[in-house]
Amino acid sequence: MSETPENPEPTHARMPETAPEATEEPGPEAAAGRSQAARPVTPGSQASFGTYGGRPVSFVRRGTRLQGRRQQAWEEHSDRWAVDIPRHIANTSVHPDYRFDAEAEFGRKAPLIVEIGSGLGDAVCHAAEENPGWDFLAVEVYTPGLANTMIKINSRKLSNVRVVEANAPEVLATMLPAGSVSEVWVFFPDPWHKSRHHKRRLIQPEFAALVATALKPGGLFRVATDWSNYAVHVRYVMAGSPDFVNLHDGERRGPESPLTQVWQSGVESLVGGAPVKEGRAPVSTEHTGPNEGVDETGGWAPRFEGRIRTSFENKAHEAGRFIFDLCYRRV
């Protein structure tokens, strides 16, 4: 699997659309390229090495083609709702000299919430509608998902949401001024089940440090996943971060822990990513975490009430999987 950012050259047609994935790895653009003109690549000290610096990324970027109402939404609303950022070496890169001015963009000073991997925009648009006093930035690399988000923004007449098509670590590292964000949300990131792909998981010590830089002191980092192995991974990474404290340290452990319940039910060993259909045998993922019997650590947050239950989360429930919420405060 290539780790090289996509070709940044200007292009005119789009690649065939695939199913939405909130976390995708950049791949080469088709020779014909995109329907909308690519933004110019600006020179920078990292350009000869590439924005990603040879590091593995957490997404596979397949779907960039727009059709029908998505194409219409992009043409009609991207100038208004999509942040037009200068690129560096790839179509999802952010030039390191660029800074996002939320007060100028939204025309006011308000708490800024950043959702990483916003998908089709259900969660961020619902939250924006319920919290008109907050501003929201949806970060995504899946172009059709961003178009869908703009459709929702426009139809609900929301003025407090912007979208950005960009690699999340770059957004956190340089685009957002340090200490400018009130909350960062990562809901249901790609679990990258295979051991050799764990390095591609979004939440790593380096990513936690970037989140800490963007957050204000006292700001919150919210995570949700429906896979126990990733939940344990996140808990381990965040426990090692000097920048955060778990708001629910030691809570929901023992028999009340969702991890204990997963281990005892064996659900992740029996069913895969979709409900078992009548007449079909269960599909084993074989990627559940080590079964230790009882989770004595805990640290799981209650379900975040500000997160709408999307179709993605509903599918996890239908498959019998458990949802793990974690919440950390920037010290």
Side-chain angles (χ1 to χ4, degrees), residues 266-295:
V267 62
E268 290 184 10
S269 300
L270 296 176
V271 295
V276 178
K277 296 182 179 179
E278 185 177 354
R280 287 192 171 185
V283 179
S284 174
T285 64
E286 299 182 354
H287 295 301
T288 185
N291 188 338
E292 299 178 8
V294 177
D295 169 30

Side-chain angles (χ1 to χ4, degrees), residues 230-299:
Y230 203 166
V232 173
H233 169 86
V234 173
R235 188 174 66 177
Y236 175 80
V237 167
M238 297 305 295
S241 172
D243 300 314
F244 290 95
V245 294
N246 188 334
L247 285 184
H248 302 276
D249 189 33
E251 296 181 19
R252 301 182 69 198
R253 59 185 177 183
E256 297 181 1
S257 168
L259 187 56
T260 299
Q261 295 170 37
V262 165
W263 287 338
Q264 292 180 349
S265 69
V267 62
E268 290 184 10
S269 300
L270 296 176
V271 295
V276 178
K277 296 182 179 179
E278 185 177 354
R280 287 192 171 185
V283 179
S284 174
T285 64
E286 299 182 354
H287 295 301
T288 185
N291 188 338
E292 299 178 8
V294 177
D295 169 30
E296 298 292 357
T297 303

Side-chain angles (χ1 to χ4, degrees), residues 32 38 46 55 82-83 93 132 136 138 149 193 198 203-204 217 283 310 325:
Q46 303 173 51
R55 296 184 299 275
V83 180
S93 66
F136 294 82
T149 303
H193 287 304
H198 285 184
I203 300 177
Q204 306 285 359
V283 179
T310 63
D325 275 75

Side-chain angles (χ1 to χ4, degrees), residues 1-330:
M1 217 177 295
S2 172
E3 299 176 7
T4 305
E6 69 272 24
N7 189 338
E9 293 302 316
T11 50
H12 300 286
R14 289 180 174 271
M15 295 174 63
E17 181 180 350
T18 59
E21 295 184 25
T23 50
E24 300 188 15
E25 176 187 11
E29 294 286 355
R34 299 180 160 206
S35 59
Q36 75 257 23
R39 299 177 183 87
V41 178
T42 50
S45 60
Q46 303 173 51
S48 60
F49 302 101
T51 298
Y52 304 104
R55 296 184 299 275
V57 294
S58 64
F59 57 90
V60 179
R61 192 167 185 256
R62 300 189 188 97
T64 59
R65 184 171 179 255
L66 296 181
Q67 289 182 326
R69 65 176 191 149
R70 286 174 170 173
Q71 180 65 45
Q72 182 180 359
W74 194 276
E75 293 173 353
E76 293 180 359
H77 304 306
S78 61
D79 286 346
R80 178 71 180 90
W81 308 123
V83 180
D84 186 19
I85 59 177
R87 303 299 179 178
H88 189 179
I89 195 66
N91 286 335
T92 56
S93 66
V94 180
H95 194 279
D97 292 340
Y98 173 71
R99 298 294 179 272
F100 177 67
D101 187 340
E103 189 170 347
E105 180 66 37
F106 292 100
R108 65 177 183 176
K109 189 172 184 178
L112 178 63
I113 314 300
V114 177
E115 184 183 13
I116 304 296
S118 54
L120 299 177
D122 292 313
V124 71
C125 288
H126 172 79
E129 198 168 23
E130 293 293 309
N131 301 278
W134 298 356
D135 292 331
F136 294 82
L137 181 66
V139 181
E140 181 56 77
V141 296
Y142 176 61
T143 311
L146 292 170
N148 261 70
T149 303
M150 286 192 284
I151 291 173
K152 293 180 176 73
I153 293 172
N154 192 63
S155 65
R156 301 180 191 185
K157 302 186 185 310
L158 302 173
S159 61
N160 57 337
V161 185
R162 298 293 185 274
V163 304
V164 60
E165 186 175 17
N167 182 36
E170 293 178 78
V171 171
L172 295 170
T174 59
M175 174 177 158
L176 295 171
S180 65
V181 179
S182 295
E183 296 191 15
V184 173
W185 298 351
V186 177
F187 298 147
F188 306 101
D190 193 322
W192 290 103
H193 287 304
K194 295 180 180 179
S195 296
R196 69 175 183 270
H197 290 156
H198 285 184
K199 64 183 179 181
R200 296 187 181 278
R201 287 177 168 176
L202 178 65
I203 300 177
Q204 306 285 359
E206 298 81 5
F207 183 79
L210 294 178
V211 173
T213 298
L215 280 174
K216 298 177 179 179
L220 299 181
F221 180 32
R222 300 185 185 274
V223 182
T225 179
D226 55 328
W227 291 104
S228 65
N229 186 273
Y230 203 166
V232 173
H233 169 86
V234 173
R235 188 174 66 177
Y236 175 80
V237 167
M238 297 305 295
S241 172
D243 300 314
F244 290 95
V245 294
N246 188 334
L247 285 184
H248 302 276
D249 189 33
E251 296 181 19
R252 301 182 69 198
R253 59 185 177 183
E256 297 181 1
S257 168
L259 187 56
T260 299
Q261 295 170 37
V262 165
W263 287 338
Q264 292 180 349
S265 69
V267 62
E268 290 184 10
S269 300
L270 296 176
V271 295
V276 178
K277 296 182 179 179
E278 185 177 354
R280 287 192 171 185
V283 179
S284 174
T285 64
E286 299 182 354
H287 295 301
T288 185
N291 188 338
E292 299 178 8
V294 177
D295 169 30
E296 298 292 357
T297 303
W300 312 112
R303 188 187 187 281
F304 175 41
E305 293 182 356
R307 185 180 75 246
I308 190 176
R309 182 180 284 192
T310 63
S311 59
F312 185 92
E313 185 171 351
N314 281 331
K315 288 179 181 179
H317 283 285
E318 291 170 7
R321 295 199 301 276
F322 290 74
I323 307 300
F324 298 84
D325 275 75
L326 298 110
C327 185
Y328 297 88
R329 185 180 66 238
R330 172 75 163 90

